[in-house]
Amino acid sequence: LLVVLHRTEEEEREKGERRERVCRKEVCGLRMGFLDKIFFGPFCSLFCTGMSLFGIVTLLTLGTLIKNEYAYTGVHFEDEEARTATASGCFTAAVVYVGFLGWSGVSILYNKRRKKL
């Protein structure tokens, strides 16, 4: 009798652990797959695409203006080295935004395929 009760308690504990694992995987009643965790959601992918496009255009424009010594950028440099470093920083940040644009574009395609968008 003691062995049967002990086994029943273990079975109940295992059922509770399984239930707990299932509950962790569920969010609002929907199971999240691995790809759902690494891609942006429908709204976020659209928002990040727009922000990335804005950032790319703005940083490329600002970097070009600074590189060409445009007087009305509001930034004045004493030496050419500082001007070149600042323009290079703008272009590098634009490349990072291109990476985010690519990732959010892939997320849009993923969400369209899953019919969330």
Side-chain angles (χ1 to χ4, degrees), residues 8-24:
T8 306
E9 289 175 0
E10 286 181 3
E11 290 173 0
E12 289 297 320
R13 191 177 323 119
E14 287 176 5
K15 284 181 186 178
E17 288 174 359
R18 271 189 251 129
R19 226 178 281 129
E20 190 176 34
R21 274 184 268 160
V22 169
C23 290
R24 280 190 218 142

Side-chain angles (χ1 to χ4, degrees), residues 3-110:
V3 173
V4 173
L5 288 176
H6 188 268
R7 191 177 307 154
T8 306
E9 289 175 0
E10 286 181 3
E11 290 173 0
E12 289 297 320
R13 191 177 323 119
E14 287 176 5
K15 284 181 186 178
E17 288 174 359
R18 271 189 251 129
R19 226 178 281 129
E20 190 176 34
R21 274 184 268 160
V22 169
C23 290
R24 280 190 218 142
K25 290 182 181 180
E26 290 184 2
V27 176
C28 299
L30 301 173
R31 290 187 183 270
M32 292 180 57
F34 176 71
L35 294 177
D36 285 341
K37 293 179 184 177
I38 61 172
F39 287 119
F40 299 138
F43 176 75
C44 185
S45 59
L46 292 173
F47 181 76
C48 289
T49 300
M51 291 303 290
S52 295
L53 287 172
F54 176 77
I56 291 166
V57 170
T58 302
L59 287 168
L60 288 177
T61 303
L62 188 60
T64 303
L65 291 175
I66 290 173
K67 182 181 175 187
N68 293 329
E69 300 178 17
Y70 187 69
Y72 298 107
T73 57
V75 181
H76 302 287
F77 296 97
E78 298 295 326
D79 59 343
E80 186 65 31
E81 187 177 320
R83 179 184 308 280
T84 305
T86 303
S88 175
C90 288
F91 296 137
T92 303
V95 169
V96 171
Y97 273 104
V98 168
F100 281 117
L101 178 65
W103 189 252
S104 58
V106 169
S107 295
I108 287 174
L109 295 176
Y110 175 75

